[in-house]
Amino acid sequence: MIRGTAKAWRKARQLRRELTLPEVLLWQQLRRRGAGHKWRKQHAAGEYSLDFYCDAAKLCVEVDGEAHSRGDRPTRDAARDAWMAERGIVTLRIPAVDVLKNLDGVLRLIALRAGERAPLHHPRDELGEEF
């Protein structure tokens, strides 16, 4: 599992308490249904905080509001995505408006991407139950 710096960990902890409405709606579904996988919210990775992260699929889901298209944000987001890619993590950027207008479609897309990237077999305990 990718780890974050102490500063990123503290920031992620704070952000867990301050989720936006689209992040809350998506988190409610990911923690219930999970697209077949375990997800973490506001996971610290390096100096970054990932909105949602699935370690089994090495998939990061970012919910991008309008601010991500202004100023230096596109450049910063590209640098962050490149840093993740160097570590084998794919970033899936979802516009916040899509979460609000088409949550089921967003969940299907996330499940598809996670399924493409996750190992075919999940670890099982000695009784054959999935962890």
Side-chain angles (χ1 to χ4, degrees), residues 55-126:
D55 191 53
K58 300 289 186 229
L59 180 64
C60 165
V61 175
E62 291 294 311
V63 178
D64 289 347
E66 185 182 329
H68 283 265
S69 61
R70 291 193 238 141
D72 68 340
R73 275 316 278 267
T75 304
R76 288 174 36 206
D77 286 347
R80 171 192 165 116
D81 294 352
W83 188 89
M84 295 296 163
E86 289 171 4
R87 285 143 185 88
I89 299 169
V90 168
T91 302
L92 178 60
R93 293 193 168 274
I94 308 287
V97 69
D98 288 356
V99 175
L100 294 172
K101 291 184 176 183
N102 186 13
L103 183 57
D104 285 336
V106 167
L107 289 166
R108 282 193 300 273
L109 175 63
I110 292 170
L112 177 68
R113 292 292 188 268
E116 291 170 349
R117 296 192 45 80
L120 294 176
H121 303 286
H122 293 293
R124 296 181 185 275
D125 66 15
E126 63 253 3

